[in-house]
Amino acid sequence: MDWVVDVAQFIVNEILSVPAYLVGIITAVGLLALRRSTGQVVGGGLKAALGFLLVSAGATLVTAALDPLGKMVQGSTGAHGVVPTNEAIVGIAQDRFGAQVAWIMILGFALALVLARVTPLRYVFLTGHHMLFMATLLTMVLATADMPTLEVVAVGTVLMGVMLVAMPALAQPWTRRVGGDGKIAVGHFGTLGYIAAGATGQLVGRRSRSTEEMKIPEGLRFLRDSMVATALSMVLIYVVVALVFLGRAGQDEAFAAFGDRSTGVGDYLMQAVMQGLQFGIAVAVILFGVRTILGELVPAFQGIAERVVPGAVPALDAPIVFPFAQNAVLIGFISSFVGGLVSLGLLAWIFDPAFGMALILPGLVPHFFTGGAAGVFGNATGGRRGAIAGAFVNGVIITFLPALLLDVLGSFGKANTTFGDADFGWFGIASGYAVKAGPVGGLLVLLVLVVALLALAIWVQKRVVLTGWDPGARRDAALAAAKEKADTASEAPGKPSGKAKPAQKSKDT
C-alpha cells in the first residue's frame, strides 16, 4: 500500500499544493467545458498558471524585502518570542503527519466540490497552499487527541470540506462590496480579519472618503501611481527603522541585517533604500499577476458553472482584492502592523505575566497580505477611517489568536512558530478544545461545530448574499446626503448658483 500513499503525497505536494498548477488545470477544465479549441485551452490554462506564478514571484520578493526589516524591528524593540509563519510550522509537521495531511487535503477538496454542488454555497476554493495549511493544522490538532489515523482523516476531511465552502460565503457580502460584482470570492483563511475589518469600517467611517480619493497637491501627483507611493513609503519606513536599529545595536549588528553586505554607514542606508524600492516592485508584480489570473480564470469558470457546479464562484487568494483599492493596501499593511505592535505590548505587559501567554512578534509578511486585504475591506465600507481601523483590528486578531492557538498544538506549541492567519487561529482553537472532551464527546462537539458553521454559511448565502444586502449602503447614503447638503448650501440666496432660471411663461400664451 506504500504506492498509494506515495501517489497521494505526489498529488498533494507536487500539484494541489501549488496554486499555479491547480488554477491552470481548473482554467483548462473550464475552457474544455466551453468547448474551446485546443490552442485556447492550453493557452488559457498556461496564462492563468503564469499569473499565479507572477503572484508567487511577487510574494517571494515581498518576503525577501521584508526579512531584513523584520530583523531590524526585532533588534530595535528588543522583543523576543514566537513568529507566526505558516510555511515553517507546516514544514515541521510534514515529517510526522505527511500521509494524513495528504489524504485530508484531497478528500476535503472533493467533499467541498460535492457541497458546492448540493448546497447554495457555490464556491470553489482555489488557494492550494492554504488548503495544505488547513489540512496540516487539522491533522496536528486531531493528533493531539490520540485519534486513530483513519479517524483523523475522516474527521479532518469533513472539517476541511465545510471550511472550504463556508468561509468564502461568510465573507462574500463584504467581498462583493469591494468589487468583482460577485463573480469572485476570497479563498484565504484570513476571513475573520476581513469580515472584522469590513464591519469596523461600517462603524467608524460612514462619512469618510475612500483612500482612492485622496486629494494630492500638484507637486505630489506622482504619488497617485500606487507603485511609486508604495515604494516611497517603504523607503521612508526602512530608513527610519534602520537608523533606530543602528543607534541601538551598533554597526556590527546593524550591518548583519543585510547579510554583512554593508561596507559602511552610507552603504547600510542605501541598502535600506534599495529594499524599500524592491518592495514597490514586488507589489507591482503581484498586481499584474492578479489581473492576468482574472482575465483567464473568470471567463473559464463559466464552463465549470455550466457543467460541474452550476453558478460556481472562484474563491481566490487574498491579493485578488488588491487592485480594487491600491492605496488601501499600503495603509492596511501599516495599520495592521501597528495593531500587532500594540498587541505585542499588551501581551508583554499584561497577558504574559498574568496568564503565561506567548509573545507573538508581528510578522511583516502576514501583516502585509492580510493587513493589506483588511485595509481594502475596511475602505470599502468605511473609507480612510475604515481602512485604518479595520486593518488595526486585523492586526490585533492575528496577534492574539496565534498566542491562544499554541495551547492546542501539543508538542508543536513549543516549536517557536505557529500558524499566522485568523481562521487558522479561531478554527484551530475551537477544534482543539473540542477534541479534549474525549473520544465520544469530542466527536459530538466537532459535529455540532461543523453543522453550526455550515448552517450559518447557508443562512448568510440565502438571506444576505442572494438578497443583495450591501454593507456599505448606509455610507453611500450618508455621503450622498452630505454632497446634497453641500450643493444646497452653495446655491443659497445671495450666492450665484451657476444655473440660469427658466423664463416665466406669459399668461397670454
Side-chain angles (χ1 to χ4, degrees), residues 50-60 285-287 289-290 293 317 319 369:
L50 290 174
F52 250 97
L53 290 176
L54 282 168
V55 174
S56 178
T60 301
V285 171
I286 290 173
L287 293 174
V290 167
I293 296 167
D317 204 352
F369 286 106

Side-chain angles (χ1 to χ4, degrees), residues 439-451:
V440 177
L443 290 178
L444 289 176
V445 175
L446 286 174
L447 179 61
V448 171
L449 173 64
V450 76
V451 170

Side-chain angles (χ1 to χ4, degrees), residues 145 180 190 499:
K499 295 181 181 179

Side-chain angles (χ1 to χ4, degrees), residues 191-280:
T191 310
L192 176 62
Y194 309 146
I195 294 175
T200 301
Q202 291 175 259
L203 292 175
V204 304
R206 186 173 298 180
R207 288 182 172 83
S208 179
R209 296 288 181 180
S210 171
T211 58
E212 311 310 295
E213 298 177 9
M214 290 181 176
K215 294 182 178 180
I216 301 176
E218 189 67 29
L220 298 177
R221 295 186 77 83
F222 66 93
L223 292 177
R224 290 182 181 273
D225 188 315
S226 62
M227 182 171 64
V228 174
T230 300
L232 180 59
S233 301
M234 287 305 298
V235 166
L236 293 174
I237 292 171
Y238 237 114
V239 171
V240 170
V241 173
L243 287 171
V244 173
F245 185 43
L246 179 64
R248 179 168 184 144
Q251 291 188 12
D252 292 341
E253 188 175 346
F255 291 176
F258 295 110
D260 292 320
R261 296 195 303 268
S262 303
T263 59
V265 174
D267 184 42
Y268 168 73
L269 293 177
M270 291 311 297
Q271 291 275 5
V273 172
M274 180 57 68
Q275 292 299 324
L277 296 176
Q278 291 283 0
F279 186 90

Side-chain angles (χ1 to χ4, degrees), residues 131 172 220 248 304 339 349 374 457 480 483:
M131 287 193 284
Q172 189 64 0
L220 298 177
R248 179 168 184 144
I304 295 179
W349 181 36
K483 185 178 183 301

